Amino acid sequence: MHDILDDAMSAWKSDDIAAVATVIRTFDSAPRPAGAAMLVGADGTVAGSVSGGCVEGSVYELAQDVLRTGTPVLTRYGVSDDDAFAVGLTCGGTLDVFVEVFSRQTFPELDSVVADVRDNIPVAVATVVSHTDPERIGRRMVVGEEGTRGSLGSARADSAIADDAKGLLASGRSAVLTYGPDGQRRGEGMEVFVSSHAPPPRMLVFGAIDFAAAVAQQGVFLGYRVTVCDARAVFATPQRFPAAEQVVVAWPHDYLTEQWSAGELDARTVVCVLTHDPKFDVPLLEVALRLPSLAFVGAMGSRRTHDDRMARLRAAGLTESELSRLASPIGLDLGARTPQETAVSIAAEIIARRWGGTGEPLRARHGRIHHDAIEDGRGGKYDAV
């Protein structure tokens, strides 16, 4: 829903009505992830996308029907190849899309949700998308750090779903949850889509060098909040790294330890070590590789630098299991030469690690193009960037 927030708030403030179509579930090579949304205004204007163009026409028509009737609809696109081509879903994937009327009356909490999102405060929105009682469909509850707002129809359902939504929010995941009609943990009859709006994941770039500036730009492009850190104040300046949200002067291992202790890192955090200087790298990697959950830890350097670094880390007591988490030398083999090209190769490896990609040309592979998210080691998945 992030791509339609401005348009949604504009309609909401004007007390207009609109229809919002949200991807709540995907299968196979679906073009957009769960949470992708499209807004159709009463005047026919469109914002956002649910499929990158594949089924937009069909969803647009359905949204206009929902605007006329006021009745929310849950529908599936791409059940079979024939159906996929009938609505233009030529990728062969499958989308479940929930379409509802959107207004100040149906979503009175929107302004506070948008404020939380813009302030990087975690917030989740739970919406009933299927229920044996049609009157419950479309009910909504907002789950945040300060508690819940709204109701899904009963105290029992609110309690169960609030607990589960907090778990999804902690891992930055969105998902459809199934319950009994009154929120029973076992049973069917009610489906609730929990849309998690966690703060963007962090990328920590250690080493204030020209490669770091290019990596910071790639990180921002991929949706990370980027911090550049170096102990050398003369190099670590905001002017040299305009893309970074923060530029910090500190010893890298001290900064990483401090951020972990403060709860500022999670299983989506990416660490790129670019200094290739053992007095900085080794203490930093000792900390990073021992942390229980980071999405990616990579270090730049030549083969010789890598071998020396690994020997020093073994001497420091790191286990082979801990060392296996290190992506070094960092990046995929793209033949990169310039800092910008190298940054693309690093970004490519981060993406491949996140989704379980191989880095091979797609023309050399068979089967699905899109990968599912991979486990983060805590039962969650890396599907929140």
Side-chain angles (χ1 to χ4, degrees):
M1 188 176 178
H2 286 264
D3 6 353
I4 66 167
L5 280 182
D6 289 342
D7 296 274
M9 274 305 299
S10 177
W12 191 89
K13 288 178 177 178
S14 301
D15 208 14
D16 293 334
I17 66 166
V20 172
T22 305
V23 177
I24 65 164
R25 192 161 34 201
T26 67
F27 307 91
D28 300 324
S29 296
R32 295 294 308 277
M38 183 172 81
L39 181 144
V40 178
D43 60 356
T45 55
V46 176
S49 168
V50 293
S51 68
C54 292
V55 299
E56 255 64 6
S58 179
V59 174
Y60 179 79
E61 292 178 4
L62 180 58
Q64 290 183 315
D65 288 341
V66 169
L67 278 172
R68 282 192 293 269
T69 65
T71 304
V73 175
L74 175 61
T75 189
R76 175 167 291 184
Y77 293 100
V79 175
S80 69
D81 287 342
D82 288 342
D83 289 340
F85 279 100
V87 296
L89 194 60
T90 53
C91 64
T94 302
L95 300 172
D96 282 353
V97 178
F98 181 67
V99 187
E100 60 183 323
V101 172
F102 169 90
S103 68
R104 190 185 286 265
Q105 287 68 43
T106 63
F107 200 166
E109 307 87 0
L110 179 68
D111 57 340
S112 62
V113 170
V114 171
D116 285 347
V117 170
R118 289 175 174 164
D119 291 339
N120 288 326
I121 298 172
V123 62
V125 179
T127 306
V128 178
V129 297
S130 176
H131 201 285
T132 52
D133 178 2
E135 294 298 319
R136 299 275 287 272
I137 298 174
R139 283 182 175 264
R140 203 181 331 263
M141 180 172 66
V142 176
V143 181
E145 294 180 333
E146 304 301 321
T148 64
R149 287 159 280 166
S151 174
L152 301 179
S154 74
R156 178 176 184 173
D158 292 347
S159 176
I161 293 150
D163 285 344
D164 293 341
K166 288 174 184 176
L168 287 171
L169 187 57
S171 62
R173 294 199 304 143
S174 298
V176 176
L177 306 177
T178 302
Y179 303 89
D182 199 36
Q184 298 92 330
R185 294 286 184 180
R186 295 184 179 181
E188 298 180 344
M190 176 168 66
E191 288 188 320
V192 178
F193 176 59
V194 178
S195 178
S196 293
H197 302 278
R202 296 189 67 190
M203 173 184 283
L204 306 183
V205 181
F206 293 98
I209 62 176
D210 51 355
F211 288 94
V215 170
Q217 286 182 320
Q218 285 292 316
V220 171
F221 179 70
L222 293 177
Y224 289 95
R225 293 180 293 142
V226 178
T227 298
V228 175
C229 175
D230 197 302
R232 302 165 296 182
V234 67
F235 296 116
T237 64
Q239 292 76 16
R240 296 188 68 222
F241 305 97
E245 181 178 283
Q246 290 179 306
V247 179
V248 176
V249 179
W251 278 87
H253 66 286
D254 289 339
Y255 180 72
L256 187 64
T257 301
E258 170 203 315
Q259 291 294 291
W260 176 260
S261 299
E264 296 294 330
L265 311 180
D266 59 26
R268 304 173 299 149
T269 301
V270 166
V271 171
C272 300
V273 181
L274 308 183
T275 49
H276 47 79
D277 181 335
K279 71 175 177 289
F280 295 117
D281 292 1
V282 174
L284 171 60
L285 290 171
E286 282 186 62
V287 175
L289 296 174
R290 283 174 170 149
L291 293 180
S293 60
L294 292 175
F296 178 87
V297 179
M300 178 180 280
S302 66
R303 300 289 180 189
R304 180 180 296 178
T305 298
H306 167 76
D307 291 342
D308 176 70
R309 181 189 291 134
M310 294 294 279
R312 291 172 184 266
L313 290 170
R314 288 190 178 96
L318 269 75
T319 67
E320 293 304 312
S321 175
E322 290 167 335
L323 292 173
S324 70
R325 298 177 55 213
L326 176 61
S328 172
I330 193 172
L332 297 186
D333 179 14
L334 304 182
R337 291 290 185 271
T338 67
Q340 291 74 22
E341 291 173 346
T342 301
V344 171
S345 80
I346 292 171
E349 184 175 18
I350 291 169
I351 294 167
R353 182 72 66 92
R354 177 187 176 203
W355 296 106
T358 65
E360 295 180 84
L362 290 173
R363 60 180 170 76
R365 295 188 56 78
H366 302 283
R368 294 174 56 194
I369 292 176
H370 300 288
H371 288 251
D372 293 323
I374 58 177
E375 296 297 326
D376 65 13
R378 301 191 307 177
K381 298 185 179 183
Y382 302 154
D383 58 353
V385 174

mmCIF file of all heavy atoms in Angstrom, residues 256 271 273 281-299 306 309-310 312-314 316-328 353:
data_model
loop_
_atom_site.group_PDB
_atom_site.id
_atom_site.type_symbol
_atom_site.label_atom_id
_atom_site.label_comp_id
_atom_site.label_asym_id
_atom_site.label_seq_id
_atom_site.Cartn_x
_atom_site.Cartn_y
_atom_site.Cartn_z
ATOM 1 N N LEU A 256 28.398 -1.270 15.631
ATOM 2 C CA LEU A 256 27.516 -2.413 15.388
ATOM 3 C C LEU A 256 27.025 -2.998 16.702
ATOM 4 O O LEU A 256 25.839 -3.326 16.855
ATOM 5 C CB LEU A 256 28.254 -3.478 14.573
ATOM 6 C CG LEU A 256 27.399 -4.651 14.104
ATOM 7 C CD1 LEU A 256 26.303 -4.189 13.139
ATOM 8 C CD2 LEU A 256 28.252 -5.728 13.428
ATOM 9 N N VAL A 271 24.758 -5.967 6.154
ATOM 10 C CA VAL A 271 26.030 -5.371 6.549
ATOM 11 C C VAL A 271 27.032 -5.550 5.411
ATOM 12 O O VAL A 271 27.282 -6.672 4.961
ATOM 13 C CB VAL A 271 26.574 -6.025 7.835
ATOM 14 C CG1 VAL A 271 28.006 -5.554 8.124
ATOM 15 C CG2 VAL A 271 25.667 -5.701 9.016
ATOM 16 N N VAL A 273 30.948 -4.675 4.480
ATOM 17 C CA VAL A 273 32.236 -4.252 5.027
ATOM 18 C C VAL A 273 33.169 -3.988 3.850
ATOM 19 O O VAL A 273 33.578 -4.926 3.154
ATOM 20 C CB VAL A 273 32.809 -5.329 5.964
ATOM 21 C CG1 VAL A 273 34.138 -4.863 6.560
ATOM 22 C CG2 VAL A 273 31.806 -5.656 7.074
ATOM 23 N N ASP A 281 38.221 -4.464 9.882
ATOM 24 C CA ASP A 281 37.390 -5.582 9.434
ATOM 25 C C ASP A 281 37.247 -6.686 10.461
ATOM 26 O O ASP A 281 36.141 -7.175 10.717
ATOM 27 C CB ASP A 281 37.969 -6.200 8.155
ATOM 28 C CG ASP A 281 37.889 -5.290 6.957
ATOM 29 O OD1 ASP A 281 37.402 -4.161 7.127
ATOM 30 O OD2 ASP A 281 38.314 -5.702 5.870
ATOM 31 N N VAL A 282 38.378 -7.122 11.014
ATOM 32 C CA VAL A 282 38.342 -8.322 11.853
ATOM 33 C C VAL A 282 37.503 -8.109 13.109
ATOM 34 O O VAL A 282 36.600 -8.910 13.401
ATOM 35 C CB VAL A 282 39.769 -8.808 12.176
ATOM 36 C CG1 VAL A 282 39.722 -9.968 13.177
ATOM 37 C CG2 VAL A 282 40.471 -9.252 10.894
ATOM 38 N N PRO A 283 37.720 -7.038 13.904
ATOM 39 C CA PRO A 283 36.845 -6.840 15.074
ATOM 40 C C PRO A 283 35.372 -6.685 14.684
ATOM 41 O O PRO A 283 34.480 -7.166 15.398
ATOM 42 C CB PRO A 283 37.391 -5.555 15.709
ATOM 43 C CG PRO A 283 38.779 -5.425 15.211
ATOM 44 C CD PRO A 283 38.761 -6.001 13.821
ATOM 45 N N LEU A 284 35.125 -6.011 13.548
ATOM 46 C CA LEU A 284 33.741 -5.820 13.096
ATOM 47 C C LEU A 284 33.098 -7.148 12.721
ATOM 48 O O LEU A 284 31.962 -7.442 13.122
ATOM 49 C CB LEU A 284 33.728 -4.870 11.906
ATOM 50 C CG LEU A 284 32.406 -4.707 11.153
ATOM 51 C CD1 LEU A 284 31.317 -4.180 12.073
ATOM 52 C CD2 LEU A 284 32.594 -3.785 9.945
ATOM 53 N N LEU A 285 33.811 -7.956 11.952
ATOM 54 C CA LEU A 285 33.240 -9.233 11.516
ATOM 55 C C LEU A 285 33.103 -10.213 12.673
ATOM 56 O O LEU A 285 32.212 -11.065 12.659
ATOM 57 C CB LEU A 285 34.092 -9.826 10.395
ATOM 58 C CG LEU A 285 33.996 -9.069 9.070
ATOM 59 C CD1 LEU A 285 35.026 -9.571 8.077
ATOM 60 C CD2 LEU A 285 32.591 -9.178 8.479
ATOM 61 N N GLU A 286 33.981 -10.110 13.673
ATOM 62 C CA GLU A 286 33.804 -10.933 14.875
ATOM 63 C C GLU A 286 32.429 -10.680 15.489
ATOM 64 O O GLU A 286 31.731 -11.606 15.904
ATOM 65 C CB GLU A 286 34.883 -10.609 15.911
ATOM 66 C CG GLU A 286 36.230 -11.223 15.657
ATOM 67 C CD GLU A 286 37.168 -10.949 16.819
ATOM 68 O OE1 GLU A 286 36.864 -11.401 17.942
ATOM 69 O OE2 GLU A 286 38.188 -10.263 16.610
ATOM 70 N N VAL A 287 32.032 -9.410 15.542
ATOM 71 C CA VAL A 287 30.721 -9.062 16.097
ATOM 72 C C VAL A 287 29.606 -9.491 15.146
ATOM 73 O O VAL A 287 28.649 -10.168 15.545
ATOM 74 C CB VAL A 287 30.633 -7.541 16.370
ATOM 75 C CG1 VAL A 287 29.220 -7.164 16.820
ATOM 76 C CG2 VAL A 287 31.654 -7.124 17.406
ATOM 77 N N ALA A 288 29.720 -9.111 13.871
ATOM 78 C CA ALA A 288 28.631 -9.337 12.912
ATOM 79 C C ALA A 288 28.317 -10.813 12.743
ATOM 80 O O ALA A 288 27.141 -11.212 12.698
ATOM 81 C CB ALA A 288 29.009 -8.717 11.563
ATOM 82 N N LEU A 289 29.336 -11.645 12.644
ATOM 83 C CA LEU A 289 29.104 -13.066 12.368
ATOM 84 C C LEU A 289 28.625 -13.831 13.598
ATOM 85 O O LEU A 289 28.142 -14.955 13.472
ATOM 86 C CB LEU A 289 30.374 -13.705 11.814
ATOM 87 C CG LEU A 289 30.828 -13.150 10.456
ATOM 88 C CD1 LEU A 289 32.171 -13.740 10.060
ATOM 89 C CD2 LEU A 289 29.776 -13.419 9.383
ATOM 90 N N ARG A 290 28.752 -13.207 14.757
ATOM 91 C CA ARG A 290 28.259 -13.856 15.976
ATOM 92 C C ARG A 290 26.848 -13.403 16.353
ATOM 93 O O ARG A 290 26.231 -13.987 17.239
ATOM 94 C CB ARG A 290 29.216 -13.579 17.128
ATOM 95 C CG ARG A 290 30.482 -14.437 17.048
ATOM 96 C CD ARG A 290 31.486 -14.074 18.098
ATOM 97 N NE ARG A 290 32.568 -15.049 18.160
ATOM 98 C CZ ARG A 290 33.813 -14.780 18.507
ATOM 99 N NH1 ARG A 290 34.140 -13.530 18.841
ATOM 100 N NH2 ARG A 290 34.727 -15.727 18.545
ATOM 101 N N LEU A 291 26.365 -12.358 15.697
ATOM 102 C CA LEU A 291 24.990 -11.942 15.973
ATOM 103 C C LEU A 291 24.039 -13.015 15.465
ATOM 104 O O LEU A 291 24.247 -13.578 14.391
ATOM 105 C CB LEU A 291 24.690 -10.598 15.301
ATOM 106 C CG LEU A 291 25.441 -9.390 15.852
ATOM 107 C CD1 LEU A 291 25.061 -8.128 15.092
ATOM 108 C CD2 LEU A 291 25.173 -9.211 17.340
ATOM 109 N N PRO A 292 22.967 -13.308 16.219
ATOM 110 C CA PRO A 292 22.107 -14.443 15.856
ATOM 111 C C PRO A 292 21.329 -14.278 14.566
ATOM 112 O O PRO A 292 20.930 -15.268 13.955
ATOM 113 C CB PRO A 292 21.159 -14.556 17.060
ATOM 114 C CG PRO A 292 21.199 -13.209 17.721
ATOM 115 C CD PRO A 292 22.565 -12.677 17.487
ATOM 116 N N SER A 293 21.064 -13.048 14.133
ATOM 117 C CA SER A 293 20.255 -12.918 12.917
ATOM 118 C C SER A 293 20.530 -11.606 12.212
ATOM 119 O O SER A 293 20.147 -10.541 12.681
ATOM 120 C CB SER A 293 18.758 -13.012 13.259
ATOM 121 O OG SER A 293 18.403 -11.982 14.160
ATOM 122 N N LEU A 294 21.212 -11.704 11.097
ATOM 123 C CA LEU A 294 21.336 -10.612 10.139
ATOM 124 C C LEU A 294 21.050 -11.224 8.777
ATOM 125 O O LEU A 294 21.358 -12.393 8.539
ATOM 126 C CB LEU A 294 22.740 -9.995 10.157
ATOM 127 C CG LEU A 294 23.156 -9.231 11.414
ATOM 128 C CD1 LEU A 294 24.614 -8.800 11.306
ATOM 129 C CD2 LEU A 294 22.273 -8.018 11.650
ATOM 130 N N ALA A 295 20.475 -10.446 7.879
ATOM 131 C CA ALA A 295 20.123 -11.002 6.573
ATOM 132 C C ALA A 295 21.357 -11.299 5.736
ATOM 133 O O ALA A 295 21.389 -12.285 4.984
ATOM 134 C CB ALA A 295 19.211 -10.030 5.819
ATOM 135 N N PHE A 296 22.393 -10.464 5.863
ATOM 136 C CA PHE A 296 23.537 -10.585 4.959
ATOM 137 C C PHE A 296 24.737 -9.902 5.591
ATOM 138 O O PHE A 296 24.624 -8.801 6.129
ATOM 139 C CB PHE A 296 23.204 -9.913 3.616
ATOM 140 C CG PHE A 296 24.314 -9.932 2.599
ATOM 141 C CD1 PHE A 296 24.473 -11.012 1.744
ATOM 142 C CD2 PHE A 296 25.189 -8.864 2.494
ATOM 143 C CE1 PHE A 296 25.490 -11.022 0.804
ATOM 144 C CE2 PHE A 296 26.199 -8.858 1.545
ATOM 145 C CZ PHE A 296 26.359 -9.949 0.705
ATOM 146 N N VAL A 297 25.879 -10.584 5.544
ATOM 147 C CA VAL A 297 27.146 -9.991 5.964
ATOM 148 C C VAL A 297 28.151 -10.251 4.858
ATOM 149 O O VAL A 297 28.456 -11.411 4.545
ATOM 150 C CB VAL A 297 27.668 -10.582 7.286
ATOM 151 C CG1 VAL A 297 29.007 -9.934 7.668
ATOM 152 C CG2 VAL A 297 26.649 -10.400 8.405
ATOM 153 N N GLY A 298 28.633 -9.199 4.221
ATOM 154 C CA GLY A 298 29.589 -9.347 3.127
ATOM 155 C C GLY A 298 30.793 -8.452 3.340
ATOM 156 O O GLY A 298 30.687 -7.397 3.979
ATOM 157 N N ALA A 299 31.943 -8.865 2.816
ATOM 158 C CA ALA A 299 33.164 -8.086 2.982
ATOM 159 C C ALA A 299 33.924 -8.021 1.666
ATOM 160 O O ALA A 299 34.062 -9.018 0.952
ATOM 161 C CB ALA A 299 34.041 -8.694 4.076
ATOM 162 N N HIS A 306 40.951 -11.938 1.470
ATOM 163 C CA HIS A 306 39.961 -12.861 2.022
ATOM 164 C C HIS A 306 40.636 -13.967 2.826
ATOM 165 O O HIS A 306 40.210 -14.279 3.957
ATOM 166 C CB HIS A 306 39.132 -13.466 0.892
ATOM 167 C CG HIS A 306 38.300 -14.635 1.317
ATOM 168 N ND1 HIS A 306 37.139 -14.501 2.041
ATOM 169 C CD2 HIS A 306 38.483 -15.984 1.126
ATOM 170 C CE1 HIS A 306 36.628 -15.695 2.288
ATOM 171 N NE2 HIS A 306 37.429 -16.609 1.737
ATOM 172 N N ARG A 309 41.962 -12.614 6.028
ATOM 173 C CA ARG A 309 40.858 -12.274 6.923
ATOM 174 C C ARG A 309 40.287 -13.531 7.584
ATOM 175 O O ARG A 309 40.016 -13.548 8.791
ATOM 176 C CB ARG A 309 39.775 -11.551 6.116
ATOM 177 C CG ARG A 309 38.586 -11.108 6.921
ATOM 178 C CD ARG A 309 37.490 -10.615 5.982
ATOM 179 N NE ARG A 309 37.847 -9.382 5.320
ATOM 180 C CZ ARG A 309 37.696 -9.152 4.024
ATOM 181 N NH1 ARG A 309 37.222 -10.100 3.231
ATOM 182 N NH2 ARG A 309 38.026 -7.989 3.515
ATOM 183 N N MET A 310 40.091 -14.582 6.796
ATOM 184 C CA MET A 310 39.547 -15.826 7.347
ATOM 185 C C MET A 310 40.491 -16.429 8.389
ATOM 186 O O MET A 310 40.047 -16.940 9.431
ATOM 187 C CB MET A 310 39.292 -16.822 6.215
ATOM 188 C CG MET A 310 38.206 -16.395 5.241
ATOM 189 S SD MET A 310 36.558 -16.332 5.978
ATOM 190 C CE MET A 310 36.113 -18.068 5.920
ATOM 191 N N ARG A 312 42.565 -14.786 10.304
ATOM 192 C CA ARG A 312 42.483 -13.957 11.508
ATOM 193 C C ARG A 312 41.190 -14.236 12.278
ATOM 194 O O ARG A 312 41.177 -14.245 13.521
ATOM 195 C CB ARG A 312 42.556 -12.477 11.136
ATOM 196 C CG ARG A 312 43.924 -12.028 10.619
ATOM 197 C CD ARG A 312 43.842 -10.595 10.089
ATOM 198 N NE ARG A 312 45.081 -10.148 9.494
ATOM 199 C CZ ARG A 312 46.028 -9.468 10.127
ATOM 200 N NH1 ARG A 312 45.870 -9.178 11.414
ATOM 201 N NH2 ARG A 312 47.123 -9.080 9.498
ATOM 202 N N LEU A 313 40.102 -14.442 11.556
ATOM 203 C CA LEU A 313 38.824 -14.718 12.215
ATOM 204 C C LEU A 313 38.840 -16.085 12.900
ATOM 205 O O LEU A 313 38.300 -16.249 13.997
ATOM 206 C CB LEU A 313 37.681 -14.631 11.204
ATOM 207 C CG LEU A 313 37.365 -13.222 10.688
ATOM 208 C CD1 LEU A 313 36.383 -13.274 9.522
ATOM 209 C CD2 LEU A 313 36.800 -12.343 11.804
ATOM 210 N N ARG A 314 39.470 -17.067 12.259
ATOM 211 C CA ARG A 314 39.607 -18.378 12.912
ATOM 212 C C ARG A 314 40.454 -18.255 14.173
ATOM 213 O O ARG A 314 40.138 -18.848 15.217
ATOM 214 C CB ARG A 314 40.220 -19.385 11.946
ATOM 215 C CG ARG A 314 39.283 -19.830 10.831
ATOM 216 C CD ARG A 314 39.849 -21.004 10.030
ATOM 217 N NE ARG A 314 38.907 -21.429 9.008
ATOM 218 C CZ ARG A 314 38.935 -21.035 7.743
ATOM 219 N NH1 ARG A 314 39.902 -20.191 7.334
ATOM 220 N NH2 ARG A 314 38.038 -21.459 6.886
ATOM 221 N N ALA A 316 40.644 -15.772 16.014
ATOM 222 C CA ALA A 316 39.828 -15.068 17.017
ATOM 223 C C ALA A 316 38.771 -15.979 17.635
ATOM 224 O O ALA A 316 38.050 -15.552 18.536
ATOM 225 C CB ALA A 316 39.172 -13.852 16.389
ATOM 226 N N GLY A 317 38.657 -17.209 17.109
ATOM 227 C CA GLY A 317 37.747 -18.173 17.717
ATOM 228 C C GLY A 317 36.427 -18.372 17.024
ATOM 229 O O GLY A 317 35.556 -19.081 17.548
ATOM 230 N N LEU A 318 36.246 -17.784 15.837
ATOM 231 C CA LEU A 318 34.977 -18.000 15.141
ATOM 232 C C LEU A 318 34.908 -19.428 14.617
ATOM 233 O O LEU A 318 35.911 -20.000 14.162
ATOM 234 C CB LEU A 318 34.813 -17.008 13.991
ATOM 235 C CG LEU A 318 34.101 -15.702 14.377
ATOM 236 C CD1 LEU A 318 35.027 -14.805 15.181
ATOM 237 C CD2 LEU A 318 33.584 -14.967 13.164
ATOM 238 N N THR A 319 33.709 -20.007 14.662
ATOM 239 C CA THR A 319 33.501 -21.373 14.205
ATOM 240 C C THR A 319 33.300 -21.392 12.694
ATOM 241 O O THR A 319 33.014 -20.363 12.069
ATOM 242 C CB THR A 319 32.272 -21.989 14.876
ATOM 243 O OG1 THR A 319 31.097 -21.289 14.414
ATOM 244 C CG2 THR A 319 32.354 -21.886 16.397
ATOM 245 N N GLU A 320 33.428 -22.586 12.098
ATOM 246 C CA GLU A 320 33.199 -22.704 10.663
ATOM 247 C C GLU A 320 31.758 -22.364 10.309
ATOM 248 O O GLU A 320 31.478 -21.822 9.246
ATOM 249 C CB GLU A 320 33.547 -24.120 10.188
ATOM 250 C CG GLU A 320 35.020 -24.452 10.289
ATOM 251 C CD GLU A 320 35.895 -23.455 9.541
ATOM 252 O OE1 GLU A 320 35.582 -23.137 8.373
ATOM 253 O OE2 GLU A 320 36.890 -22.978 10.118
ATOM 254 N N SER A 321 30.825 -22.679 11.208
ATOM 255 C CA SER A 321 29.424 -22.334 10.964
ATOM 256 C C SER A 321 29.248 -20.822 10.903
ATOM 257 O O SER A 321 28.538 -20.296 10.037
ATOM 258 C CB SER A 321 28.538 -22.921 12.066
ATOM 259 O OG SER A 321 27.203 -22.499 11.920
ATOM 260 N N GLU A 322 29.892 -20.110 11.825
ATOM 261 C CA GLU A 322 29.799 -18.646 11.812
ATOM 262 C C GLU A 322 30.471 -18.076 10.571
ATOM 263 O O GLU A 322 29.955 -17.150 9.934
ATOM 264 C CB GLU A 322 30.438 -18.090 13.081
ATOM 265 C CG GLU A 322 29.624 -18.386 14.341
ATOM 266 C CD GLU A 322 30.389 -18.110 15.614
ATOM 267 O OE1 GLU A 322 31.637 -18.142 15.597
ATOM 268 O OE2 GLU A 322 29.734 -17.864 16.661
ATOM 269 N N LEU A 323 31.624 -18.616 10.212
ATOM 270 C CA LEU A 323 32.344 -18.125 9.034
ATOM 271 C C LEU A 323 31.577 -18.371 7.746
ATOM 272 O O LEU A 323 31.707 -17.616 6.774
ATOM 273 C CB LEU A 323 33.728 -18.776 8.953
ATOM 274 C CG LEU A 323 34.724 -18.361 10.046
ATOM 275 C CD1 LEU A 323 35.981 -19.205 9.961
ATOM 276 C CD2 LEU A 323 35.067 -16.881 9.918
ATOM 277 N N SER A 324 30.757 -19.428 7.729
ATOM 278 C CA SER A 324 30.004 -19.748 6.506
ATOM 279 C C SER A 324 28.970 -18.683 6.177
ATOM 280 O O SER A 324 28.465 -18.629 5.052
ATOM 281 C CB SER A 324 29.320 -21.111 6.646
ATOM 282 O OG SER A 324 28.262 -21.051 7.596
ATOM 283 N N ARG A 325 28.646 -17.819 7.124
ATOM 284 C CA ARG A 325 27.670 -16.751 6.884
ATOM 285 C C ARG A 325 28.280 -15.575 6.133
ATOM 286 O O ARG A 325 27.554 -14.681 5.693
ATOM 287 C CB ARG A 325 27.092 -16.265 8.212
ATOM 288 C CG ARG A 325 26.339 -17.329 9.003
ATOM 289 C CD ARG A 325 25.870 -16.791 10.337
ATOM 290 N NE ARG A 325 25.060 -15.587 10.153
ATOM 291 C CZ ARG A 325 25.022 -14.583 11.007
ATOM 292 N NH1 ARG A 325 25.764 -14.597 12.098
ATOM 293 N NH2 ARG A 325 24.249 -13.527 10.779
ATOM 294 N N LEU A 326 29.612 -15.560 6.014
ATOM 295 C CA LEU A 326 30.283 -14.413 5.415
ATOM 296 C C LEU A 326 30.322 -14.527 3.897
ATOM 297 O O LEU A 326 30.806 -15.516 3.343
ATOM 298 C CB LEU A 326 31.711 -14.312 5.955
ATOM 299 C CG LEU A 326 32.595 -13.209 5.367
ATOM 300 C CD1 LEU A 326 31.992 -11.834 5.628
ATOM 301 C CD2 LEU A 326 34.000 -13.302 5.938
ATOM 302 N N ALA A 327 29.819 -13.516 3.204
ATOM 303 C CA ALA A 327 29.916 -13.437 1.754
ATOM 304 C C ALA A 327 31.186 -12.658 1.418
ATOM 305 O O ALA A 327 31.222 -11.429 1.514
ATOM 306 C CB ALA A 327 28.694 -12.739 1.170
ATOM 307 N N SER A 328 32.243 -13.380 1.066
ATOM 308 C CA SER A 328 33.528 -12.737 0.824
ATOM 309 C C SER A 328 34.324 -13.545 -0.189
ATOM 310 O O SER A 328 34.407 -14.776 -0.058
ATOM 311 C CB SER A 328 34.324 -12.635 2.136
ATOM 312 O OG SER A 328 35.638 -12.182 1.927
ATOM 313 N N ARG A 353 20.716 -13.542 -2.334
ATOM 314 C CA ARG A 353 20.691 -14.182 -1.012
ATOM 315 C C ARG A 353 19.307 -14.075 -0.380
ATOM 316 O O ARG A 353 18.833 -15.014 0.263
ATOM 317 C CB ARG A 353 21.747 -13.508 -0.123
ATOM 318 C CG ARG A 353 21.865 -14.101 1.277
ATOM 319 C CD ARG A 353 22.518 -15.467 1.242
ATOM 320 N NE ARG A 353 23.898 -15.377 0.817
ATOM 321 C CZ ARG A 353 24.939 -15.242 1.655
ATOM 322 N NH1 ARG A 353 24.730 -15.184 2.961
ATOM 323 N NH2 ARG A 353 26.166 -15.187 1.193
#
